[in-house]
Amino acid sequence: MTSPAHIAIIMDGNGRWAKSRGLPRVAGHRAGVEALRDVVRAAPGLGISFLTVYAFSSENWSRPKSEVSDLMGLLKLFIRRDLAELHGQGVRVRVIGDRESLQPDIRSLLEEAETLTRHNTGLTLVIAFNYGGRDEIVRAVRKLSEAVLQGKIQPHDIAVHDFAAALDTSGIPDPDLVIRTSGEQRLSNFLLWQAAYSELVFVPCYWPDFSSAHLVEALRDFAGRERRFGGLSSQEAVSSALAR
Ligand code: IPE
Ligand code: IPE
Ligand code: MG
């Protein structure tokens, strides 16, 4: 089975997981961090080189203040507790999303994680934090507009690869597979540009219940898909060439 090089996960359902157990939502977020740890540990053994996880969206600020602050606290705890282990495993950390509006202590922790691990050659773990696809696209447009104003590039010379290079994900290949847990079937502003040709797998379980067995199952599902990228399937291409 050939594994997808890049898997992106929308880790959804923490709140409902907690509710179904009569627990506060924060208990679901804590259990979600455990599930994340397990998946990060399992990924390299499954042939995955890039793992992107949606941890906090640009729209999640609209949640109650206390939940937002719980989520900020959990990110800090995750970096503080897990960074050494991640580094030891050869994981390279990248963060995507808007950093400007984050508290300075969170910003510096994220930078520390990226700087410490930047020469690692194992799994690349991309953390989408304060991330929204539309926001990322608008920030990329601003960058390119600046470059135009400075005369570095002409508007008619802007190509698809220039735009991709102005996004937060510059240098990271597009995800082959996007997985969303909790049964919801939508992207919720995740990787709008990058997921143009990704295969989508929706898993009914809540994120805290997601395990490496679910990941293996999603990979099996992916292996049975035929990706065409707008062209023909390889078999159709051969027969159509032979018929000429
Ligand atoms: C996903 O779980 C985690 C974040 C969005 C941060 P939710 O908190 O969205 O859980 P549900 O969807 O309400 O169950
Ligand atoms: C998407 O889940 C964001 C993350 C998993 C971080 P949401 O729970 O915020 O998405 P909606 O509101 O159900 O679309
Ligand atoms: Mg949700």
Side-chain angles (χ1 to χ4, degrees):
M1 185 168 89
T2 50
S3 278
H6 183 177
I7 293 189
I9 307 184
I10 303 174
M11 310 184 288
D12 194 22
N14 295 349
R16 280 164 284 169
W17 181 91
K19 196 176 174 199
S20 71
R21 285 166 170 71
L23 298 169
R25 290 180 62 85
V26 65
H29 295 314
R30 279 193 207 114
V33 177
E34 294 298 321
L36 173 61
R37 279 195 187 107
D38 291 348
V39 166
V40 172
R41 285 187 191 127
L46 294 169
I48 299 162
S49 311
F50 293 82
L51 175 68
T52 298
V53 291
Y54 203 6
F56 190 87
S57 80
S58 48
E59 285 73 38
N60 286 146
W61 294 104
S62 64
R63 296 191 179 195
K65 255 191 176 161
S66 59
E67 180 165 350
V68 169
S69 110
D70 287 340
L71 288 165
M72 296 292 149
L74 276 174
L75 175 80
K76 285 194 250 182
L77 204 65
F78 175 70
I79 306 263
R80 288 201 184 112
R81 276 210 192 142
D82 289 51
L83 185 57
E85 183 187 335
L86 291 171
H87 187 43
Q89 291 165 347
V91 173
R92 182 167 60 127
V93 178
R94 277 274 301 262
V95 181
I96 58 171
D98 178 19
R99 299 206 199 168
E100 300 284 299
S101 44
L102 293 174
Q103 291 160 6
D105 58 337
I106 295 192
R107 243 162 53 194
S108 44
L109 268 177
L110 295 175
E111 271 156 31
E112 185 191 329
E114 287 184 317
T115 310
L116 177 72
T117 63
R118 70 168 185 254
H119 298 303
N120 287 346
T121 54
L123 174 77
T124 299
L125 173 64
V126 184
I127 303 175
F129 198 84
N130 193 19
Y131 176 87
R134 288 178 174 178
D135 175 69
E136 179 191 34
I137 288 169
V138 168
R139 285 186 288 105
V141 168
R142 282 192 207 130
K143 264 190 227 167
L144 288 169
S145 310
E146 284 294 331
V148 168
L149 277 179
Q150 290 166 6
K152 291 182 181 154
I153 190 165
Q154 293 300 309
H156 62 262
D157 290 332
I158 298 174
V160 166
H161 67 263
D162 298 308
F163 199 87
L167 293 167
D168 296 348
T169 49
S170 172
I172 298 171
D174 287 340
D176 301 290
L177 170 63
V178 175
I179 299 172
R180 181 170 187 148
T181 58
S182 91
E184 306 300 343
Q185 303 193 357
R186 54 177 173 265
L187 287 177
S188 300
N189 209 6
F190 190 44
L191 302 178
L192 295 184
W193 167 281
Q194 299 86 344
Y197 276 102
S198 303
E199 295 297 325
L200 309 178
V201 168
F202 299 102
V203 181
C205 80
Y206 296 140
W207 173 249
D209 289 329
F210 191 87
S211 65
S212 55
H214 291 97
L215 185 56
V216 170
E217 188 54 40
L219 295 181
R220 233 178 248 135
D221 196 339
F222 174 85
R225 305 279 180 96
E226 187 190 57
R227 303 182 78 190
R228 296 192 191 161
F229 301 98
L232 298 180
S233 70
S234 44
Q235 211 180 342
E236 278 169 330
V238 170
S239 17
S240 130
L242 290 175
R244 276 173 179 268

